Amino acid sequence: MAEQTKLEQENLWLKERLATLIAAARDNERKLDRMTDLEMRLLATDDLVGILSLLLEDFPRDYALDHVGLVLHDPDSLISGILEAAPCSREQWSLRLLSSADPLQTLAGLYLGDYAACPESLRFADRGELCSVALVPVERAGRRLGALSLGSRCSGRYGEGMDTYLLRRLAAVIAICIENALAAWRLRELGVTDALTGVRNRRFFDLRLQEEMIRVVRERQSLACLFVDIDHFKAVNDRYGHGVGDQVISSVAQRLGRHLRGSDLLARYGGEEFVMLLPGLDRQEVRAVAERVRQVVSGGAVQVDDHRLSVTVSIGVAHWTPQRLAGQDPSVAAQALLREADEALLRAKSDGRNRVVMAGMPPADAVSLELLPLGL
Ligand SMILES: Nc1nc2c(ncn2[C@@H]2O[C@H](COP(=O)(O)OP(=O)(O)OP(=O)(O)O)[C@@H](O)[C@H]2O)c(=O)[nH]1
């Protein structure tokens, strides 16, 4: 009888143990499924902002985590540049960008334990309430890209003995996604950037012109287009060589870019010709900007090696008011705007160069009063 009771007790204990193990296995399976889902979503996102918002917003919210943070090595400010240009609110993100990789090297490997005892450079100033943390290196091909941190207000949440497989797997996926996103961004940038000057290229300009046209028609704004062409540029090449010519083009691009607002666009249209799009200005303002651009270029000699070169530009301007844009087909209007600016440029050249000509102005009005001598 006693033997039977003992067997029944053992049986009961084994059943309970089995039920606990099955529950733990189901719990692990659920965690694995959810983590796989997060990883699939990360892998399906090829832009950096999307990846970071999945990781630093959705992940802590969906998993009810006290803290998810990311420290990333950003030696050339590429990441901060991408984030600055992106229209997203990231005040809530626990994201830190490091110009030096040194703080990341203080992390010997995966760290589990007291938040207060983890390397200071990998802590987040506003997360003092955290008690325990898991810090996972984010690495790819032996390079440390950053560190992922998961923190908890509970002191025993992250500690020795915890299974770290899912965390290490997530960190590996994050590394791949961030590298891919940065590579995709670089590739996109290469496709729309002029290699010599670093300003946008004609391909980008053509795409943006269409978009801008649609936007200004919808928002009843004006749009101005400036064609800016370096005067007598052939003479620079002939006299000093193409290398010097290249540097002059580059220097003019930098000068043109100095007075642009965030909404303006500057692109190299080809050779020694640039194009600018200025939305939302009235005719007088556009004229003033064009005149300022002309003066900025001609205002000081361009120093290339031992040569000091005076450079001037001719500028043709087309300015369309909201009234003129109203009801226009955007792509037809875009072509007409370009054509007008180009014709105004031709007039600026034929009228003597180093001047601004506004389309639709009689020649007398169009000629700049501040003609500077050509220095070539
Ligand atoms: N160095 C250099 N030269 C270029 C580049 N692209 C075009 N050019 C040269 O720019 C010169 C343009 O000459 P033109 O079209 O005659 O114009 P210009 O001499 O500036 O005369 P105007 O425009 O009438 O004042 C040509 O000699 C082209 O070879 C470039 O990327 N680098």
Side-chain angles (χ1 to χ4, degrees), residues 196 229-235 237 242 245-246 249 268 271-272 349 353:
L196 175 64
D229 189 282
I230 305 175
D231 295 326
H232 296 304
F233 185 67
K234 188 172 178 308
N237 277 335
H242 269 72
D246 281 355
I249 292 175
R268 185 174 175 206
E272 21 61 277
K349 289 282 181 183
R353 298 179 176 78

Side-chain angles (χ1 to χ4, degrees), residues 307-347:
H307 313 295
R308 280 175 64 78
L309 306 173
S310 300
V311 178
T312 65
V313 287
S314 299
I315 304 179
V317 183
H319 175 260
W320 282 32
T321 60
Q323 293 75 23
R324 188 165 173 203
L325 285 164
Q328 293 273 353
D329 175 312
S331 58
V332 175
Q335 291 315 309
L337 183 81
L338 280 186
R339 203 167 43 246
E340 273 188 17
D342 197 31
E343 284 164 7
L345 172 64
L346 288 178
R347 249 175 62 202

Side-chain angles (χ1 to χ4, degrees), residues 163-178:
D163 188 343
T164 57
Y165 168 70
L166 285 183
L167 286 181
R168 284 181 286 118
R169 208 178 81 169
L170 177 63
V173 170
I174 291 170
I176 291 170
C177 289
I178 288 179

